[in-house]
């Protein structure tokens, strides 16, 4: 390993400001992994300026001026086992989760790397999917207990605001772009549109889950859910209007808890009347997304929903988004925010043509038109909902130190 100007661990007196470390850094020896790394971090909103040359030696040199990022990808090709052990151990000691890259395919070599404190070792050249799966695991809380997924509830302030469209595209983005094992559940058993929008056959899985919640386990879900793409699983039904489905707090909570146990992310497309009919379900949501439109009626009902949902779950984070925004809305965004005394999380433009064409294809808009303005904005919300670490709002310490713009 190339000599560094200081011994590992020496002279690291970082200020509190600098200890607000960046979420990511990569230290590479060649360009073979640049493209998949860029693809992986782009969807998380992290800057490609954190991809640098230098491998493990380069990463260690920078410890004299800044704390290591939360997640580090480090090329260890050509280093001795002794240098790999000491280098990775130092990075891990300072709080970084290290993903090592190399070309040696040997069990003893792998064990050496993992014993040193690395979180994973990947053979070059890596793929974006492989990296994404590693990041998903590292982004989960590691408090020594079994991992539980996150539950996102999406509901409309009024009818016809596009809740199902947003739920479908949120779930698809979580699964395809953020590599989360995701479930999408249409809680409207009678008139839900998820199955219709994606051109999949509705199943009786959700009905059977309510009838006999004790049956709901991993095997049941595998048989009852339709699969779309690499990791999106869908539970949607179309019960007859004259057929009564019995729900109660116990069955609803049992289903929500089973989803949380079996999936990284669960997206619930919620009918608005569930706020009163199934109040306990909202206690299971980590985030609640209220979909509104820029009208006085929607503003009124948004305020009413926010007030009521806060009594249902004081710990859930609330996000208000406006959808189907025209060039001349009834209420401006500024007036809407003033009326609800808060900020809108997102604003999605009206584009009936694009959404209709995607539906006719049986595809999410995010799949049919990934560069659509709505999808680009929604992806930022998905990153937040998934719990991905946020890049520092300030210019990174390393960027300042090396004069990067």
């Amino acid at each position: 390993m190339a000599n560094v100007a200081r011994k590992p661990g020496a002279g690291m007196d970082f200020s509190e400001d600098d200890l607000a470390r960046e979420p990511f850094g990569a230290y590479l020896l060649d360009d073979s992994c640049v493209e998949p790394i860029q693809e992986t971090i782009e969807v998380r909103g992290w800057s490609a300026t954190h991809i640098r040359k230098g491998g493990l030696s380069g990463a260690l040199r920078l410890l004299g001026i800044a704390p290591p990022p939360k997640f580090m990808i480090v090329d260890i090709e050509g280093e001795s086992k002794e240098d790999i052990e000491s280098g990775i151990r130092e990075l891990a000691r300072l709080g970084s989760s290290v993903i090592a890259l190399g070309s040696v395919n040997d069990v003893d070599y792998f064990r050496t790397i993992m014993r040193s404190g690395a979180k994973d070792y990947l053979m070059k050249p890596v793929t974006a999917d492989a990296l994404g799966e590693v990041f998903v695991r590292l982004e989960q809380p590691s408090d020594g207990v079994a991992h539980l997924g996150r539950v996102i509830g999406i509901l409309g302030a009024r009818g016809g605001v596009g809740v199902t469209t947003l739920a479908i595209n949120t779930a698809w983005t979580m699964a395809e772009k953020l590599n989360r094992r995701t479930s999408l559940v249409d809680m409207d058993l009678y008139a839900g549109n998820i199955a219709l929008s994606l051109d999949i056959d509705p199943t009786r899985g959700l009905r059977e889950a309510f009838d006999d919640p004790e049956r709901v386990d991993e095997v049941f879900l595998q048989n009852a859910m339709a699969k779309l793409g690499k990791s999106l699983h869908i539970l949607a039904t179309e019960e007859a209007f004259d057929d009564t489905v019995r729900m109660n707090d116990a069955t609803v909570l049992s289903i929500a808890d089973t989803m949380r146990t079996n999936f990284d992310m669960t997206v619930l497309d919620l009918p608005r009347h569930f706020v009163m009919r199934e109040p306990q379900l909202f206690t299971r949501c980590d985030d609640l997304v209220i979909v509104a439109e820029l009208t006085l009626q929607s503003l009124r009902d948004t305020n009413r929903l926010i007030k009521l949902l806060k009594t249902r779950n004081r710990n859930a984070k609330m996000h208000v988004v406006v959808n189907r925004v025209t060039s001349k809305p009834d209420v401006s965004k500024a007036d809407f925010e003033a009326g609800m005394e808060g900020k809108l999380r997102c604003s999605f433009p009206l584009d009936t043509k694009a959404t209709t064409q995607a539906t006719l294809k049986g595809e999410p808009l995010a799949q049919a038109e990934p560069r659509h303005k709505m999808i680009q904005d929604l992806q930022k919300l998905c990153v937040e909902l998934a719990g991905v670490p946020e890049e520092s709002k300030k210019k990174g310490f390393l960027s300042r130190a090396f004069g990067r713009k």
Side-chain angles (χ1 to χ4, degrees), residues 196-216:
L196 181 65
S197 298
L198 294 175
D199 193 26
I200 60 176
D201 292 330
T203 71
R204 291 182 59 82
L206 191 55
R207 166 64 184 269
E208 293 171 359
F210 281 119
D211 287 344
D212 189 5
E214 292 184 1
R215 289 182 56 204
V216 183

Side-chain angles (χ1 to χ4, degrees), residues 116-174:
S116 302
K119 298 298 183 182
D120 215 327
Y121 171 67
L122 299 178
M123 293 283 292
K124 298 193 299 182
V126 299
T127 65
D129 280 346
L131 276 174
E133 290 173 4
V134 174
F135 273 110
V136 170
R137 177 165 52 82
L138 297 183
E139 286 162 355
Q140 310 301 341
S142 55
D143 51 8
V145 299
H147 163 62
L148 292 176
R150 298 177 62 82
V151 177
I152 311 300
I154 304 181
L155 70 163
R158 295 181 66 79
V161 294
V163 171
T164 294
T165 297
L166 291 180
I168 288 172
N169 285 284
T170 296
W172 191 90
T173 300
M174 295 288 188

Side-chain angles (χ1 to χ4, degrees), residues 162-169 192-200 228 238 323-324 351-369 372 374-375:
V163 171
T164 294
T165 297
L166 291 180
I168 288 172
N169 285 284
N193 288 320
I194 287 179
L196 181 65
S197 298
L198 294 175
D199 193 26
I200 60 176
L228 183 67
E238 290 178 7
N323 192 28
R324 299 182 173 179
D351 191 343
T352 305
K353 181 179 179 181
T355 53
T356 300
Q357 288 180 340
T359 299
L360 290 174
K361 293 179 181 178
E363 296 179 350
L365 181 62
Q367 180 181 9
E369 292 193 35
H372 194 282
M374 171 184 170
I375 300 308

Side-chain angles (χ1 to χ4, degrees), residues 294 322 325 329 331-339 342 344 346-348:
L294 292 177
V322 288
V325 177
V331 178
S332 70
K333 284 189 282 187
D335 287 341
F336 197 99
E337 290 179 332
L344 292 168
C346 292
S347 173
F348 303 120

Side-chain angles (χ1 to χ4, degrees), residues 28-61:
L28 309 178
L29 294 173
D30 55 64
D31 295 333
S32 65
C33 299
V34 171
E35 187 173 336
I37 291 175
Q38 286 179 333
E39 184 178 339
T40 303
I41 67 174
E42 181 182 4
V43 296
R44 288 167 167 76
W46 299 339
S47 173
T49 60
H50 299 304
I51 302 175
R52 298 181 173 85
K53 294 284 189 180
L56 182 58
S57 298
L60 291 172
R61 285 194 196 95

Side-chain angles (χ1 to χ4, degrees), residues 379-395:
Q379 187 167 286
K380 297 174 184 176
L381 175 61
C382 289
V383 166
E384 182 178 347
L385 296 175
V388 173
E390 186 178 10
E391 192 164 74
S392 174
K393 298 296 183 183
K394 298 180 181 180
K395 197 173 183 182

Side-chain angles (χ1 to χ4, degrees), residues 113-342:
I113 293 166
M114 299 304 288
R115 280 198 306 266
S116 302
K119 298 298 183 182
D120 215 327
Y121 171 67
L122 299 178
M123 293 283 292
K124 298 193 299 182
V126 299
T127 65
D129 280 346
L131 276 174
E133 290 173 4
V134 174
F135 273 110
V136 170
R137 177 165 52 82
L138 297 183
E139 286 162 355
Q140 310 301 341
S142 55
D143 51 8
V145 299
H147 163 62
L148 292 176
R150 298 177 62 82
V151 177
I152 311 300
I154 304 181
L155 70 163
R158 295 181 66 79
V161 294
V163 171
T164 294
T165 297
L166 291 180
I168 288 172
N169 285 284
T170 296
W172 191 90
T173 300
M174 295 288 188
E176 293 294 323
K177 298 299 182 180
L178 294 174
N179 294 87
R180 263 60 178 176
R181 188 168 186 268
T182 304
S183 64
L184 171 62
V185 185
D186 194 335
M187 296 300 293
D188 190 337
L189 278 68
Y190 298 99
N193 288 320
I194 287 179
L196 181 65
S197 298
L198 294 175
D199 193 26
I200 60 176
D201 292 330
T203 71
R204 291 182 59 82
L206 191 55
R207 166 64 184 269
E208 293 171 359
F210 281 119
D211 287 344
D212 189 5
E214 292 184 1
R215 289 182 56 204
V216 183
D217 56 16
E218 185 175 1
V219 175
F220 174 89
L221 294 175
Q222 287 177 351
N223 294 325
M225 302 182 82
K227 188 176 181 183
L228 183 67
K230 60 186 179 183
S231 56
L232 176 57
H233 303 259
I234 302 165
L235 197 55
T237 188
E238 290 178 7
E239 296 299 319
F241 285 116
D242 59 352
D243 190 0
T244 301
V245 179
R246 301 184 183 279
M247 299 183 192
N248 57 51
D249 286 344
T251 57
V252 168
L253 293 181
S254 175
I255 292 169
D257 290 342
T258 302
M259 291 294 175
R260 185 190 293 277
T261 301
N262 286 279
F263 295 94
D264 298 321
M265 303 294 303
T266 294
V267 178
L268 303 178
D269 183 345
L270 296 169
R272 195 165 61 262
H273 64 260
F274 266 45
V275 178
M276 295 306 299
R277 179 176 170 176
E278 306 297 339
Q280 288 300 310
L281 178 59
F282 291 86
T283 66
R284 294 302 196 262
C285 293
D286 298 282
D287 294 81
L288 289 164
V289 180
I290 299 173
V291 186
E293 58 186 358
L294 292 177
T295 65
L296 283 174
Q297 297 93 330
S298 191
L299 173 58
R300 176 199 65 189
D301 292 346
T302 297
N303 283 331
R304 295 168 66 193
L305 263 181
I306 290 173
K307 183 177 179 180
L308 183 56
L309 288 173
K310 284 182 177 178
T311 68
R312 298 281 184 260
N313 187 341
R314 295 185 180 278
N315 296 319
K317 187 172 183 179
M318 277 211 224
H319 314 262
V320 179
V321 305
V322 288
N323 192 28
R324 299 182 173 179
V325 177
T326 63
S327 58
K328 294 182 179 180
D330 294 350
V331 178
S332 70
K333 284 189 282 187
D335 287 341
F336 197 99
E337 290 179 332
M340 72 172 193
E341 298 181 346

